[in-house]
């Protein structure tokens, strides 16, 4: 595919450049491109200039190879292989290296604070970038996993709005599902 | 959307009650659902105690269908490995000790093993049941396929499996004409599940495996996970989770055709002691393959590398193979 340049405009009127192939990682952009409505700059009123470069970075990495990004997003397959090091086929080895690299990249990529996380998640949702959405959602989930409701409230700045009676009920539920869930 | 611009320095130290930073204000229900759906079951319920909105989402019927990860309930009365944590789950309808189970995307279908006259579908998360289904004649029933993920509580039993000992022939999977050698007749647990045309595997089904207590006294459900899992698979059910290794999921690979089983085995010695080998077992439980390559060769050309050793009776099979299986020895 040719490397046509696409221009994206953030909510605060800054313009960013992205290859068409990379842009196709986003369903939304892909539809715009395929729909032939490409008219110079694509405005993205929901994405700020703080976040857009981050999004573009992801798209660049994942633009061409839907396959492996999907694999990473699904998470399952490569984990399998870690457990099973004696997977002896060459092909699998190469695949593993690729997946590992991608995984490492994603780890570094995902190193940011909560606010960015939300914004990125919203942007991924808006732009329909499945892999990125999965990544961000999973990260958010990891911030909830294994925590008590109190910790979650604190972490996410949420106030409990239960009535005292409901509160009691919640405590019961909470106890019932107390941690040490073996497979957390 | 001013929130996006207000990307100021907002520390996420707990006391800062800036509503803008709250996940609650930023994310709409869809995203929150997605996030929660990534959690294991216990975490989901605890998340439901956070506030009203989360509670509603957790208890919504949609949630469990969105779930990204398999869920696994384990119930036991055994004194097996301490790393197993057991939870009881009340299912009102379980009266008989043994049930066949099929699950898909969080819905679980039960059929009682004895009379095979009861059949119901249950959503264990919201504890909702659909009872009074017509008794069925089949010896085994297959996995559930949700018709449409946007209609989670709509279900249908799309695969009906007929015991191969009966003369009726069910078309084998289209791509392979491999004569599936019939399982030993008369063994309910081992009925071969012929797949009807290419049903896609459910994207992310959660395995929910339960077994009634051996004693006739009901309400406490007990059962060992891998055992019931094996039993379920041998009965032709597809399940997503295959085994756990100390908390790590070994997920059913998506290329594996329905009704194939993944077996895991822990190496007892050698350099890789404690690690896993994985094997794939065909639906008839006659062949075992060591790798994806061999499975695909078998599917395409019928090439068999190694045949499985003499088979035990299916029921003991499930029970006896169990101790070897990975879950128990997870380190």
């Amino acid at each position: 595919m040719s490397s046509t340049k696409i221009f994206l405009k953030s909510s605060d009127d800054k313009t960013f450049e992205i290859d068409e192939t990379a842009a196709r990682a986003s369903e939304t952009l892909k539809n715009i491109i395929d729909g032939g409505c490409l008219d110079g700059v694509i405005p993205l009123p929901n994405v700020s200039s703080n976040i857009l470069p981050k999004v573009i970075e992801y798209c660049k990495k994942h633009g061409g190879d839907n396959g492996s990004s999907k694999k990473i997003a699904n998470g399952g397959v490569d984990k399998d292989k870690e457990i099973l090091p004696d997977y002896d086929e060459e092909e699998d080895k190469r695949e593993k290296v690729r997946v590992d690299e991608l995984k490492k990249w994603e780890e570094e990529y995902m190193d940011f604070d909560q606010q960015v996380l939300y914004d990125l998640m919203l942007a991924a949702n808006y732009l329909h970038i499945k892999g990125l959405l999965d990544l961000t959602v999973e990260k958010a989930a990891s911030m909830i996993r294994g925590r008590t409701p109190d910790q979650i409230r604190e972490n996410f700045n949420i106030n409990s709005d239960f009535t005292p009676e409901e509160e009691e009920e919640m405590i019961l539920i909470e106890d019932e599902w107390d941690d040490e869930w073996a497979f957390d | 959307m001013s929130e996006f611009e207000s990307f100021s320095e907002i520390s996420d130290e707990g006391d800062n009650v800036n509503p803008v930073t709250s996940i609650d204000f930023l994310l709409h229900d869809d995203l929150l659902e997605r996030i929660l759906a990534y959690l294991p079951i216990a975490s989901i319920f605890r998340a439901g105690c956070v506030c009203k909105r989360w509670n509603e989402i957790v208890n919504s019927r949609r949630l469990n269908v969105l779930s990204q990860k398999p869920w696994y309930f384990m119930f036991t009365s055994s004194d097996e490995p301490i790393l197993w944590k057991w939870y009881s789950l009340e299912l009102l309808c379980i009266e008989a000790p043994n049930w066949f189970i099929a699950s898909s995307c969080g819905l679980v279908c039960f059929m009682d093993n004895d009379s095979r006259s009861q059949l119901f579908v249950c959503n264990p998360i919201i504890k909702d049941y659909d009872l009074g289904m017509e008794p069925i004649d089949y010896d085994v029933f297959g996995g559930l396929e949700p018709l449409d993920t946007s209609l989670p509580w709509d279900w249908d039993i799309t695969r009906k499996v007929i015991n191969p000992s009966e003369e009726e022939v069910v078309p084998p999977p289209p791509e392979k004409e491999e004569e599936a050698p019939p399982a030993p007749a008369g063994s309910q647990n081992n009925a071969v599940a012929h797949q009807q045309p290419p049903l896609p595997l459910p994207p992310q089904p959660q395995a929910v495996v339960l077994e009634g207590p051996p004693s006739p006294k009901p309400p406490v459900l007990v059962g060992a996970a891998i055992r019931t899992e094996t039993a379920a698979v041998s009965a032709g059910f597809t399940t997503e989770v295959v085994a756990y290794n100390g908390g790590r999921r070994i997920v059913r690979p998506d290329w594996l055709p329905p009704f194939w089983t993944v077996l895991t085995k822990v190496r007892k010695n050698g350099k890789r002691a404690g690690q896993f080998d994985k094997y794939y077992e065909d639906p008839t439980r006659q062949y075992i393959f060591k790798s994806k390559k061999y499975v695909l060769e078998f599917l395409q050309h019928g090439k068999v590398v190694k045949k499985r050793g003499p088979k035990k009776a299916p029921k003991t099979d499930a029970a006896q193979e169990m101790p070897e299986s990975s879950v128990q020895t997870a380190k």
Side-chain angles (χ1 to χ4, degrees):
Chain A
M1 206 173 286
S2 69
S3 61
T4 320
K5 299 286 182 198
I6 308 272
F7 294 93
L8 306 175
K9 195 163 78 180
S10 68
S11 57
D12 43 354
D13 273 346
K14 290 187 184 148
T15 307
F16 296 85
E17 186 186 291
I18 183 173
D19 283 345
E20 186 189 320
T21 36
R24 283 177 180 276
S26 152
E27 280 293 316
T28 306
L29 294 180
K30 185 168 160 265
N31 288 343
I32 294 175
I33 295 165
D34 292 344
C37 315
L38 202 50
D39 183 20
V41 180
I42 302 176
L44 300 174
N46 284 348
V47 187
S48 76
S49 61
N50 289 316
I51 297 303
L52 195 47
K54 198 87 182 147
V55 175
I56 290 174
E57 191 189 343
Y58 182 91
C59 290
K60 272 185 185 156
K61 190 79 185 172
H62 290 264
D65 59 349
N66 276 331
S68 49
S69 67
K70 208 169 162 191
K71 201 158 261 179
I72 268 284
N74 287 342
V77 181
D78 49 313
K79 273 181 211 158
D80 267 5
K81 287 179 185 169
E82 267 174 40
I83 310 173
L84 298 162
D86 63 337
Y87 233 80
D88 45 10
E89 288 87 28
E90 278 301 305
E91 183 198 336
D92 280 320
K93 263 187 199 153
R94 259 177 282 128
E95 175 75 12
K96 183 169 160 25
V97 169
R98 229 179 41 229
V99 168
D100 282 353
E101 263 171 27
L102 204 51
K103 223 175 159 182
K104 192 160 162 262
W105 177 85
E106 279 180 355
E107 230 163 70
E108 285 165 19
Y109 175 82
M110 291 298 286
D111 183 26
F112 41 65
D113 67 27
Q114 265 190 44
Q115 185 65 43
V116 177
L117 177 65
Y118 302 151
D119 291 347
L120 201 55
M121 194 187 300
L122 288 162
N125 190 46
Y126 169 67
L127 290 167
H128 288 280
I129 307 170
K130 172 115 179 28
L132 184 56
L133 185 58
D134 284 346
L135 267 186
T136 48
V137 163
E138 195 161 11
K139 177 159 179 175
S142 74
M143 294 155 71
I144 300 173
R145 188 177 305 140
R147 310 222 170 157
T148 64
D150 270 338
Q151 288 166 332
I152 296 170
R153 278 183 217 122
E154 193 177 317
N155 199 14
F156 293 110
N157 281 325
I158 298 169
N159 293 320
S160 167
D161 51 0
F162 291 117
T163 63
E165 297 88 56
E166 285 171 331
E167 193 79 54
E168 265 171 42
E169 199 182 310
M170 290 305 142
I171 288 169
L172 288 181
I173 295 176
E174 196 185 322
D175 288 347
E176 189 185 334
W177 293 98
D178 197 7
D179 210 348
E180 297 170 48
W181 175 251
F183 302 128
D184 242 17
Chain B
M1 286 236 156
S2 60
E3 286 118 62
F4 293 98
E5 264 123 354
S6 67
F7 179 65
S8 47
E9 296 312 321
I10 299 153
S11 72
D12 40 333
E13 279 141 34
D15 295 346
N16 186 347
V17 192
N18 183 342
V20 180
T21 60
S22 168
I23 194 174
D24 225 24
F25 285 82
L26 268 178
L27 302 180
H28 47 82
D29 282 3
D30 277 356
L31 282 178
L32 202 47
E33 271 176 20
R34 260 177 197 274
I35 294 170
L36 294 178
Y38 257 96
L39 296 170
I41 185 75
S43 287
I44 289 181
F45 280 110
R46 273 178 292 137
C49 302
V50 167
C51 65
K52 279 185 175 169
R53 180 176 171 224
W54 287 37
N55 193 279
E56 271 165 28
I57 291 172
V58 164
N59 290 307
S60 77
R61 293 185 165 195
R62 285 185 57 191
L63 181 65
N64 65 333
V65 169
L66 282 167
S67 183
Q68 303 288 310
K69 291 280 160 68
W71 289 336
Y72 211 60
F73 295 91
M74 294 173 68
F75 304 83
T76 190
S77 60
S78 88
D79 47 359
E80 277 305 318
I82 33 167
L83 86 155
W84 292 19
K85 170 85 177 179
W86 305 100
Y87 286 86
S88 64
L89 179 77
E90 268 179 62
L91 291 173
L92 301 170
C93 308
I94 304 275
E95 286 151 1
N98 290 304
W99 292 81
F100 280 124
I101 297 159
S103 75
S104 180
C105 296
L107 296 183
V108 193
C109 191
F110 295 87
M111 181 175 72
D112 77 300
N113 191 8
D114 300 327
S115 67
R116 286 150 197 261
S117 60
Q118 296 182 59
L119 185 65
F120 65 89
V121 177
C122 159
N123 181 335
I125 308 307
I126 58 174
K127 298 189 177 166
D128 205 350
Y129 303 87
D130 197 312
L131 302 163
M133 296 172 59
E134 283 174 34
I136 52 169
D137 295 321
Y138 308 102
D139 275 352
V140 187
F141 63 93
L144 301 171
E145 299 281 351
L147 301 175
D148 176 354
T149 48
S150 65
L151 302 169
W153 193 226
D154 280 351
W155 46 264
D156 195 10
I157 298 176
T158 55
R159 281 185 218 142
K160 287 170 182 154
V161 180
I162 293 165
N163 191 321
S165 60
E166 287 158 31
E167 84 294 36
E168 179 106 36
V169 177
V170 183
E175 74 245 84
K176 199 47 256 107
E177 287 311 307
E178 209 50 58
E179 23 40 43
S187 68
Q188 59 211 8
N189 262 0
N190 204 36
V192 177
H194 289 287
Q195 188 207 359
Q196 286 175 346
L199 287 170
L201 273 181
Q204 298 281 342
Q206 302 105 27
V208 180
V209 182
L210 311 169
E211 191 181 84
S215 81
K217 292 191 180 160
V220 189
L221 284 163
V222 294
I226 192 69
R227 178 175 163 193
T228 49
E229 171 94 27
T230 311
V233 170
S234 73
F237 307 141
T238 59
T239 42
E240 183 77 3
V241 181
V242 173
Y244 282 95
N245 168 20
R248 291 176 89 169
R249 293 188 185 88
I250 299 173
V251 180
R252 190 178 204 284
D254 49 10
W255 50 265
L256 197 67
F259 301 113
W260 282 64
T261 314
V262 182
L263 305 174
T264 53
K265 210 167 176 179
V266 178
R267 293 201 172 193
K268 297 213 174 66
N269 39 41
K271 212 164 71 179
R272 298 214 184 98
Q275 291 179 337
F276 281 79
D277 289 331
K278 193 158 62 165
Y279 303 91
Y280 306 101
E281 190 183 41
D282 84 309
T284 66
R285 314 196 68 202
Q286 300 235 330
Y287 306 106
I288 288 192
F289 302 92
K290 196 170 179 300
S291 71
K292 173 180 178 181
K293 191 172 125 195
Y294 294 142
V295 173
L296 296 180
E297 271 176 14
F298 173 75
L299 288 171
Q300 276 156 24
H301 313 296
K303 185 176 154 196
V304 176
V305 179
K306 194 174 152 193
K307 199 162 175 179
R308 184 177 199 176
K311 207 143 53 110
K312 302 162 208 158
K315 208 147 196 183
T316 43
D317 211 80
Q320 284 178 0
E321 272 180 4
M322 220 195 112
E324 293 164 13
S325 88
S326 56
V327 172
Q328 297 208 335
T329 17
K331 75 159 215 181

